[in-house]
């Protein structure tokens, strides 16, 4: 009896018990929802399953990184869409980091012009809807370029036309280019404020100590201030990378065939709404967890190690 009373008052017992109860409730909710789903599908005469993935897709995809033809299966089509999404996510994270860090540092510049140009950029791109920006880049910018025979040349290395941006070794379609620029500049505006806040969190004594050693301002930022600011920057930066990846689903508005675009076409043709939505959810969940894992490892590496 005494042991029971002690267990009843044990804080760890309630912590473990609360977690067990939460898990049981979650299992019960999922079981109920799954039972209702099966019952509703049976009433509609629909059989749950992913066998449709092996059926012929019978639709074309405008932009592919791997070989694809309409006679391929739905699984092949979805794989093409996933690769297109990964292209945007990887390149977008890389470019938006450059833009965001540069703009964030520029926000603290001693140069009046540089500081205010960065301010205008941040306020405009951060306070207008992303969808509106994507439509602007696509319709007003890329479709506003001249036709291929009158393409604009930049330094003889980049050519701009309604077919997109042509480089010496590859060509980016107008849909891909508009989506990439829209995501880069929109997310970069948020990252700029994160970087600015992280830099300002570094104690002024660190700046003064670095200057007292005779370091130039650029070296002070690169060697002393920015490495310390990373401890503050990386956690919110992770959220922006996740937002960029998920916001890439807006590609459907300008016709870029990402995973969401291809999955929507698959759903419209097969009518397998539940299966397709589960695949989309699993895809974005996997991408988000992967980004979070990588950023958590990076965040752990920049933290101060206690002795």
């Amino acid at each position: 009896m005494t042991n029971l009373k002690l267990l009843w008052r044990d804080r760890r017992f309630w912590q473990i018990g609360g977690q067990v109860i939460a898990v049981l409730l979650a299992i019960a909710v999922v079981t109920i929802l799954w039972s209702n789903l099966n019952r509703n599908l049976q009433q509609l005469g629909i059989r749950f399953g992913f066998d449709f993935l092996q059926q012929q897709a019978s639709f074309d995809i405008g932009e592919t990184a791997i070989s694809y033809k309409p006679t391929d299966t739905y699984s092949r089509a979805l794989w093409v869409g996933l690769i297109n999404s990964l292209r945007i996510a990887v390149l977008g994270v890389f470019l938006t980091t450059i833009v965001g860090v540069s703009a964030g540092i520029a926000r603290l510049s001693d140069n009046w012009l540089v500081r205010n140009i960065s301010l205008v950029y941040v306020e405009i791109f951060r306070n207008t809807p992303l969808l509106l920006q994507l439509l602007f880049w696509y319709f007003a910018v890329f479709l506003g370029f001249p036709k291929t025979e009158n393409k604009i040349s930049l330094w003889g290395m980049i050519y701009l036309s309604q077919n997109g941006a042509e480089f010496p070794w590859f060509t980016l379609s107008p849909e891909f280019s508009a989506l990439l620029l829209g995501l880069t500049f929109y997310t970069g505006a948020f990252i700029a404020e994160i970087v600015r806040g992280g830099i300002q969190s570094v104690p002024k004594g660190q700046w003064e100590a670095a200057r007292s050693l005779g370091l130039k301002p650029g070296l002070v930022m690169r060697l002393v201030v920015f490495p310390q600011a990373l401890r503050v920057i990386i956690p919110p930066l992770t959220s922006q990378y996740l937002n960029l990846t998920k916001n890439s689903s807006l590609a459907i508005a300008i016709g870029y065939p990402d995973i969401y675009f291809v999955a929507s076409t698959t759903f419209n043709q097969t009518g397998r709404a539940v299966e397709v939505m589960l695949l989309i959810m699993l895809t974005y969940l996997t991408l988000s967890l992967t980004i979070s894992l990588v950023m958590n490892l990076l965040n752990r590496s920049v933290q101060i190690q206690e002795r």
Side-chain angles (χ1 to χ4, degrees):
M1 192 68 172
T2 303
N3 292 335
L4 183 59
K5 290 181 178 180
L6 292 175
L7 184 63
W8 188 262
R9 297 176 182 177
D10 192 344
R11 183 178 179 182
R12 291 177 299 176
F13 169 76
W14 286 110
Q15 290 177 341
I16 297 174
Q19 295 177 10
V20 171
I21 293 174
V23 171
L24 292 176
L25 287 175
I27 294 175
V29 170
V30 171
T31 302
I32 294 172
L33 292 176
W34 184 257
S35 176
N36 289 338
L37 173 63
N38 283 329
R39 184 169 58 254
N40 292 334
L41 290 176
Q42 289 176 2
Q43 291 176 354
L44 294 173
I46 300 175
R47 183 172 58 85
F48 181 86
F50 294 92
D51 54 310
F52 70 95
L53 292 175
Q54 303 307 317
Q55 298 175 7
Q56 181 175 307
S58 301
F59 65 86
D60 196 14
I61 299 178
E63 184 171 346
T64 62
I66 59 176
S67 62
Y68 171 81
K69 52 186 180 297
T71 55
D72 287 335
T73 61
Y74 284 112
S75 60
R76 181 72 174 183
L78 291 170
W79 181 244
V80 170
L82 175 59
I83 293 177
N84 284 344
S85 292
L86 290 175
R87 290 171 61 203
I88 281 291
V90 173
L91 195 54
V93 165
F94 175 74
L95 293 179
T96 200
T97 302
I98 296 175
V99 171
V101 171
S102 301
I105 294 175
R107 290 276 279 114
L108 301 172
S109 174
D110 294 330
N111 187 296
W112 181 89
L113 181 60
V114 172
R115 185 173 64 252
N116 283 278
I117 287 177
S118 177
L119 173 63
V120 171
Y121 155 69
V122 169
E123 294 302 324
I124 290 177
F125 283 86
R126 192 177 60 163
N127 293 298
T128 52
L130 174 57
L131 180 58
L132 179 62
Q133 294 184 36
L134 294 178
L135 295 176
F136 169 80
W137 284 109
Y138 185 62
F139 290 104
V141 177
F142 283 96
L143 294 188
F145 285 144
K147 295 183 179 180
T148 307
E149 54 269 19
N150 299 318
K151 57 188 176 183
I152 301 172
S153 175
L154 300 179
W155 311 290
M157 298 180 62
I158 304 175
Y159 297 92
L160 302 176
S161 68
Q162 291 184 1
N163 285 341
E166 299 178 27
F167 296 85
W169 301 282
F170 58 92
T171 301
L172 300 179
S173 69
E175 293 80 13
F176 182 91
S177 303
L179 180 62
L180 181 61
L181 289 176
L183 290 173
T184 295
F185 285 103
Y186 177 78
T187 312
F190 289 91
I191 292 178
E193 290 297 276
I194 292 172
V195 170
R196 180 177 68 87
I199 292 174
Q200 290 181 323
S201 70
V202 178
K204 291 184 178 180
Q206 297 293 315
W207 296 76
E208 296 170 355
R211 292 192 185 103
S212 69
L213 295 175
L215 294 177
K216 295 181 179 179
L219 290 177
V220 171
M221 178 62 68
R222 183 164 60 90
L223 300 178
V224 178
V225 175
F226 197 74
Q228 296 184 65
L230 283 175
R231 294 193 292 268
V232 177
I233 291 173
I234 289 179
L237 183 63
T238 303
S239 297
Q240 293 306 316
Y241 288 163
L242 295 175
N243 288 338
L244 184 147
T245 303
K246 290 180 287 188
N247 286 338
S248 66
S249 61
L250 291 175
I252 194 172
I254 56 176
Y256 178 72
D258 70 330
I259 181 65
Y260 185 77
F261 182 98
V262 176
S264 297
T265 304
T266 301
F267 157 64
N268 290 332
Q269 292 191 178
T270 62
R272 299 294 188 91
V274 176
E275 293 89 334
V276 172
M277 290 302 109
L278 285 175
L279 289 174
I280 294 176
M281 291 171 59
L282 181 60
T283 299
Y284 283 108
L285 177 62
T286 302
L287 292 177
S288 297
L289 291 177
T290 302
I291 293 173
S292 297
L293 175 61
V294 173
M295 294 302 293
N296 285 336
L297 293 175
L298 178 61
N299 185 47
R300 188 178 302 172
S301 69
V302 301
Q303 296 301 313
I304 296 177
Q305 301 296 327
E306 298 290 344
R307 294 184 177 180

